[in-house]
Amino acid sequence: MMIASSIVAICMGFFVLFIRMKAQKKPVSGKKIILPPIFMSTGALMFLFPFFRVTLGELLEALTVGMLFSILLIKTSKFEVRDHDIYLKRSKAFAFILIGLLIVRIVAKSILSATIDYGALSGMFWILAFGMIVPWRITMYIQYRRLHQENSDLTTNSI
């Protein structure tokens, strides 16, 4: 089961890299930044089932690690204005960070699976991922809104 979930994680990681590289060619919008964590939030329904429930300590641990990991993503996500549109800047470090986080996740999962039930571990990794994506996307949205406002002011003043 762990091998299968690791393979799925690797595939998802490469899918995220592919989507990110493709997205850099199109302008960004507030909706494109905010929707992924909203869609991901539906995964919290797993906690309706006792198999996936975590203790308070596990929740806090996973959330803290996720928020710490989000700092790496925040540092590599910057915007630029091109032709009056806002684009995500290309970052070579982002791909390496994403791959590094994937490796850390797989190693941690193999180590922790010896002491934590598979369901609780699945719940913890969902919390970790959600704790990583929410601060990252909120920060991106704030940066986007600031740049969008500056871009609007410049466009208005140049007319």
Side-chain angles (χ1 to χ4, degrees):
M1 187 63 123
M2 196 173 100
I3 292 171
S5 66
S6 296
I7 290 170
V8 169
I10 290 168
C11 291
M12 286 176 53
F14 282 109
F15 179 71
V16 168
L17 271 176
F18 174 76
I19 295 295
R20 173 77 186 251
M21 298 304 171
K22 196 172 181 176
Q24 291 173 341
K25 297 176 182 172
K26 296 179 183 177
V28 177
S29 70
K31 195 185 290 187
K32 288 180 183 178
I33 295 170
I34 293 300
L35 285 178
I38 292 171
F39 294 149
M40 188 182 171
S41 68
T42 60
L45 293 173
M46 79 168 78
F47 296 110
L48 293 175
F49 302 96
F51 180 70
F52 296 106
R53 292 194 187 138
V54 298
T55 65
L56 179 61
E58 292 167 340
L59 176 120
L60 294 174
E61 183 180 318
L63 198 56
T64 302
V65 171
M67 293 174 83
L68 288 172
F69 284 171
S70 75
I71 294 169
L72 298 170
L73 297 174
I74 290 167
K75 295 287 184 189
T76 58
S77 300
K78 304 294 178 209
F79 297 102
E80 63 185 351
V81 177
R82 283 188 263 149
D83 301 323
H84 303 292
D85 287 320
I86 300 172
Y87 291 84
L88 200 53
K89 274 187 185 179
R90 192 173 286 267
S91 170
K92 292 177 185 171
F94 182 82
F96 292 111
I97 288 171
L98 200 60
I99 291 168
L101 290 174
L102 184 59
I103 291 168
V104 167
R105 179 189 185 278
I106 291 170
V107 170
K109 191 174 191 178
S110 66
I111 294 169
L112 295 173
S113 65
T115 58
I116 300 173
D117 293 335
Y118 184 76
L121 193 57
S122 298
M124 286 180 70
F125 276 102
W126 182 89
I127 293 166
L128 185 149
F130 198 68
M132 185 170 59
I133 196 172
V134 169
W136 174 41
R137 292 299 179 132
I138 288 172
T139 304
M140 283 177 69
Y141 185 74
I142 291 168
Q143 291 173 351
Y144 168 81
R145 292 298 308 159
R146 190 177 303 133
L147 195 55
H148 184 267
Q149 186 62 43
E150 290 171 10
N151 192 31
S152 297
D153 291 346
L154 288 174
T155 306
T156 305
N157 291 335
S158 66
I159 296 177

